[in-house]
Amino acid sequence: PGEESVAIIARGLLELGDFASAKDYLRRAIDSKTALPKSSEIRYLYGQALQGVNDKDGAIAQYSQAIEYAPDNFEALIGRASMYLQYPKEQAKAVADARKATQINDRSYRGFYYLAQAYYNQDNLIKARDAVNQTLINAGKNATGEAVSLSAQIALRQGDIARATTEGAMAMRLGLQGKPLPVMPSRKVTNVDLITGSFESIVATPH
C-alpha cells in the first residue's frame, strides 16, 4: 500500500483506540519505505500512536519530524503543544506551538485552549484569560467541560468568585454530557471546590 492507504489504515486503528497496533503498523511502514519517510502526515499519525501508548518523548520526536517536513501542520503543532504541557520546564515551547497553531487556524478552539493552559501554567493569568475567552468564543455551543473549567480556575485566581462558581457548575454539566478534550481532570470540580480553591488543576500545572 502507498502513503494514502497507510494513513487510512493508521487512522482507523487510532479511531478504534488501538494505539499499540497503530504504532507497530506505522513503524513497519516507515521502516519498509511503504510510507514516505518524509511524510508529515505519517509522522503526525505515528506521534499520535506513541502519545496513545504514553511514549511522550517519542511522540514529541515524531511531531517534530512532522513539523520539520510541513511547518504549517496544525495538528502536529497541537499534538506537540499538548505533550510539552506535561513537562513543567517546557511551557514556553507549549506557548510557541499553540500560538503558531492559532495563527494557522484562528477559528479552531483547540489552539487557543492549549495556549491558555500554557499561559496558566506560567502564571500569566491575563494572557491565559484572553486565550481561554477566545477558546470559548470559537467553540460556541461545542464548548467542553475542560475549557470551561480552565476558565473557572482562571476566574478564581483572579478573584472573580461569581464567575468561577457559575463556570464551575457549567463545567460539571458539560462533563456529564461527555464533551472532553484530551487533557482530562482527575475529578470533576464542585462549587465548594471552586470557592475554597481546594480542587486539583485540570491542566499540567508545574509543581
Side-chain angles (χ1 to χ4, degrees):
E3 179 183 349
E4 184 176 354
S5 296
V6 170
I8 290 172
I9 292 172
R11 286 187 181 278
L13 291 169
L14 291 170
E15 289 176 5
L16 290 171
D18 191 350
F19 301 109
S21 294
K23 178 194 72 171
D24 293 341
Y25 176 72
L26 287 165
R27 181 70 265 169
R28 289 195 301 270
I30 291 171
D31 288 345
S32 67
K33 304 297 191 294
T34 300
L36 297 179
K38 292 188 177 182
S39 165
S40 181
E41 181 181 14
I42 295 301
R43 294 292 179 170
Y44 160 72
L45 293 173
Y46 192 25
Q48 285 275 284
L50 292 172
Q51 182 173 346
V53 298
N54 203 35
D55 182 352
K56 298 176 185 178
D57 291 339
I60 288 174
Q62 293 304 314
Y63 289 143
S64 296
Q65 283 287 301
I67 294 165
E68 179 181 339
Y69 300 149
D72 290 339
N73 187 326
F74 174 83
E75 297 294 342
L77 285 163
I78 288 294
R80 192 169 68 176
S82 73
M83 290 290 92
Y84 282 143
L85 281 169
Q86 300 181 48
Y87 292 86
K89 295 182 179 180
E90 302 291 8
Q91 300 308 297
K93 292 181 180 179
V95 166
D97 279 352
R99 185 190 292 122
K100 184 172 182 180
T102 65
Q103 294 168 350
I104 294 170
N105 184 353
D106 63 2
R107 294 186 179 183
S108 172
Y109 68 87
R110 290 185 299 151
F112 288 101
Y113 175 73
Y114 290 123
L115 184 60
Q117 281 196 40
Y119 281 138
Y120 181 89
N121 290 348
Q122 291 181 323
D123 293 321
N124 191 333
L125 298 182
I126 294 176
K127 288 188 176 181
R129 168 53 61 198
D130 289 342
V132 81
N133 283 350
Q134 193 61 52
T135 301
L136 298 175
I137 290 170
N138 287 5
K141 294 181 180 179
N142 295 316
T144 65
E146 282 65 42
V148 179
S149 288
L150 177 57
S151 182
Q153 290 186 61
I154 295 168
L156 183 65
R157 291 186 59 188
Q158 290 179 322
D160 190 344
I161 302 301
R163 179 171 184 171
T165 302
T166 300
E167 290 184 333
M170 186 186 302
M172 291 172 63
R173 291 196 298 273
L174 290 172
L176 292 173
Q177 292 171 16
K179 294 182 177 179
L181 277 169
V183 178
M184 297 292 290
S186 58
R187 63 181 176 86
K188 293 302 176 186
V189 178
T190 67
N191 288 347
V192 173
D193 288 330
L194 286 166
I195 293 170
T196 62
S198 63
F199 59 91
E200 296 179 34
S201 173
I202 64 165
V203 296
T205 307
H207 297 290

